[in-house]
Amino acid sequence: MNQNEKEQEFAWFGESKASDEKMARDLAHQLDMKDYVDAQRQEQKDAEFARSLNEADSGFVAQDEAVAAALCLSEQEVPKNSDTLPSDRFKCFTCKKPFHTFGTRTVEACQRTYHKSCFLCIACQAPLGKTFAVDNNNNPIHSDCYSTLYMPTCVVCKSSLANSSTQVLDRNARSLSQSYTYARHPFFDWKYCSKHENSSQRCSSCNRVEPNDAPFNKIDESRVICLACVRSVILDSDELQPLFLSVLDFLDQLDVCVFPEMRSIPVLSVGAAALNDAQNSSHSQCRGLCLSEKSTSSISVPVIKRRGIGGFVEEMSSRFVPGQTTSSVTAILILSGLPRTLTASILAHECVHAWFKLHPQFNNIDIDKQSEEGVCQLVAYLYLKKQIEINSSAPAEASEIHPTDQQLSQFYKFSLENDRSPVYGDGFRLAFKAYTALGNSLPVLLNLTNSDGRLPPC
C-alpha cells in the first residue's frame, strides 16, 4: 500500500469517527428533550389535579385549598444541553441563578423550580419537606405557619381550627392533602370547633354559641341572650302593648280588616315555663300563644209526644237545641327576653290567629293547621321584610362579634325562609306561593283560607 492509499484510509476513518460522535451527541440531546417534555406533561397533570381538589370545598367541611393542592415534589438532573432549553426553567425561582453554576439538583413545586437549598418556607425561612401548604401568592409555606397566618380561629375557645385537621393520602398523586372540619352558624360568619356544637350555650334569639371570653346574659335557668340581642330586649308587658298596636297598624296598611275586639286583647310577657304550661306542652321553641274561648248559645224547645190515635199532647218537658257558636280571644302570651324586632314578628304571627278566631265565619269549618300556621308565618315574614326596608338606610356599625339590629332582622327573616318543619316551614312556603298567585293580596288570602278551611290551590 503506497503513501496516498494510507492517507485516504486514515481520512475515511477520521470522518467515520466524527460522524459517530455527532450521532451520539444528537441522540443524547433527543433523550434530554424527551425528559424535558415528560416533565412538562407531569407538571401540567399536577396542576389540573390541584385545580380539581380546590373545587371540592362545600357545606360545613372547609377544604384547605393550599394544602390540598397535591403538589408532588421531585428532584431531577438538569439536562446537559440546557442552553437549548427555556432559560426560566433552569433558573432558581428564589435566587434567580442558573442551576449549572450552582448545582444540578432541583426541586419542582408550585409550577416553579428551586435549588434544593433555596426551597424554604416563605414565612419562617426554614427548609420545607415533601408536605407543605401554599399561600395566596402561590408561595410554599409550612402547614403550621399557614394555619397561624391564614386559618380562622374558633370563636369559642380561640384556638386555630387547623387543630381538627385530618391528613388524607392520595395514592394517585403521591401526596398528602389536609382537610379542616369545623362547625359554623348558618347565617353569621361564626366558626367554631365541632366539639362545641352540643356543649356550649346558645343565644335564645340568634342561636349563636357563647364565647368563653364573652359570656352571655342569663335570662332564666335555661336561656341566655347574647350582647347583640340584649340591646333591644323586651322583659315586661308594659313594653308589649304599644308594639302590639303598631303591628295592628301594619295589618291595617295591608288592607286587612282589623276587628275592634283585637285592639283590646291583653298582651302579656311571660316566661318559658308559664308559656309551656298554658300550651300544655314542654316544647322549648314556643315563643307565643293566642288564648281563646268558645261559647255556644242554646235555646229550650218543648218536647211534643203523640198520645192516643189521633192527637198530640204537649208535655212540660223540654230539650236544648244548639244555637250560634262564638269565639273570643282572652289574651296573647309572648315569651319575655327577646329582641324588639323578633318580638314584633311573633306578635304579627299571633295577631293572625286572633283574626281567624274573631272572624264571624270562623266556626263554619275547621281550618287546617298547616294552612293557618303558614299564613301566620307569612304575615310575620312580611313584617320583618318591611322593617328591613325601613331601616336599610340607617347607619350602623357592625362587628364580627356584635351584629347590628338590621343584621339580626335579616337573620329572623332567613330563619322563616329556611324552616324545615312540615307545619311551619312547609306551611309558610305554601302560603307565600298562594299569596304571590293572588297578586300579593293578603285580605283575599285570609278570607279564602277562612272560608275553605285551607290554603287556596295555586
Side-chain angles (χ1 to χ4, degrees), residues 433-451:
K433 185 177 180 181
Y435 171 75
T436 305
L438 294 172
N440 297 343
S441 176
L442 185 60
V444 175
L445 177 63
L446 288 172
N447 287 314
L448 288 176
T449 304
N450 183 70
S451 60

Side-chain angles (χ1 to χ4, degrees), residues 105-315:
R105 306 298 291 182
T106 64
V107 174
E108 290 190 0
C110 310
Q111 300 181 357
R112 301 167 180 172
T113 309
Y114 301 83
H115 288 118
K116 189 174 182 180
S117 59
C118 294
F119 188 57
L120 307 175
C121 172
I122 191 65
C124 66
Q125 297 299 311
L128 290 166
K130 290 189 175 182
T131 303
F132 58 94
V134 181
D135 67 4
N136 298 332
N137 296 320
N138 201 34
N139 294 314
I141 184 174
H142 285 125
S143 297
D144 293 339
C145 296
Y146 182 87
S147 300
T148 303
L149 295 176
Y150 300 106
M151 284 297 295
T153 58
C154 173
V155 297
V156 178
C157 61
K158 299 300 184 290
S159 62
S160 175
L161 293 177
N163 294 338
S164 58
S165 63
T166 303
Q167 287 189 342
V168 180
L169 176 64
D170 189 332
R171 299 185 181 276
N172 295 326
R174 305 184 305 280
S175 61
L176 286 173
S177 63
Q178 200 162 7
S179 300
Y180 299 96
T181 305
Y182 55 85
R184 63 173 298 172
H185 192 279
F187 182 81
F188 300 104
D189 189 20
W190 201 256
K191 301 173 184 177
Y192 49 92
C193 302
S194 301
K195 63 183 179 181
H196 304 306
E197 182 71 21
N198 298 318
S199 60
S200 298
Q201 295 189 103
R202 292 179 177 271
C203 174
S204 59
S205 171
C206 64
N207 203 38
R208 294 185 301 160
V209 292
E210 180 183 31
N212 292 339
D213 59 346
F216 292 166
N217 296 277
K218 189 173 182 180
I219 299 177
D220 52 36
E221 294 299 327
S222 60
R223 294 190 300 145
V224 294
I225 187 169
C226 69
L227 301 179
C229 295
V230 78
R231 291 192 299 253
S232 61
V233 67
I234 292 181
L235 298 173
D236 55 57
S237 302
D238 293 337
E239 298 176 277
L240 281 179
Q241 196 63 36
L243 192 59
F244 173 67
L245 295 177
S246 68
V247 172
L248 294 180
D249 292 339
F250 167 74
L251 292 177
D252 197 24
Q253 294 172 7
L254 295 177
D255 296 329
V256 176
C257 179
V258 178
F259 304 122
E261 300 89 342
M262 295 179 66
R263 296 190 178 273
S264 59
I265 297 175
V267 183
L268 305 176
S269 177
V270 299
L275 192 61
N276 291 328
D277 290 342
Q279 192 189 23
N280 295 324
S281 171
S282 60
H283 193 267
S284 59
Q285 293 299 320
C286 181
R287 292 176 171 179
L289 186 63
C290 180
L291 300 179
S292 63
E293 291 181 348
K294 286 184 179 181
S295 61
T296 303
S297 60
S298 59
I299 58 176
S300 176
V301 297
V303 177
I304 301 176
K305 295 184 179 180
R306 182 176 179 177
R307 291 295 180 88
I309 297 176
F312 291 89
V313 177
E314 181 178 336
E315 294 185 346

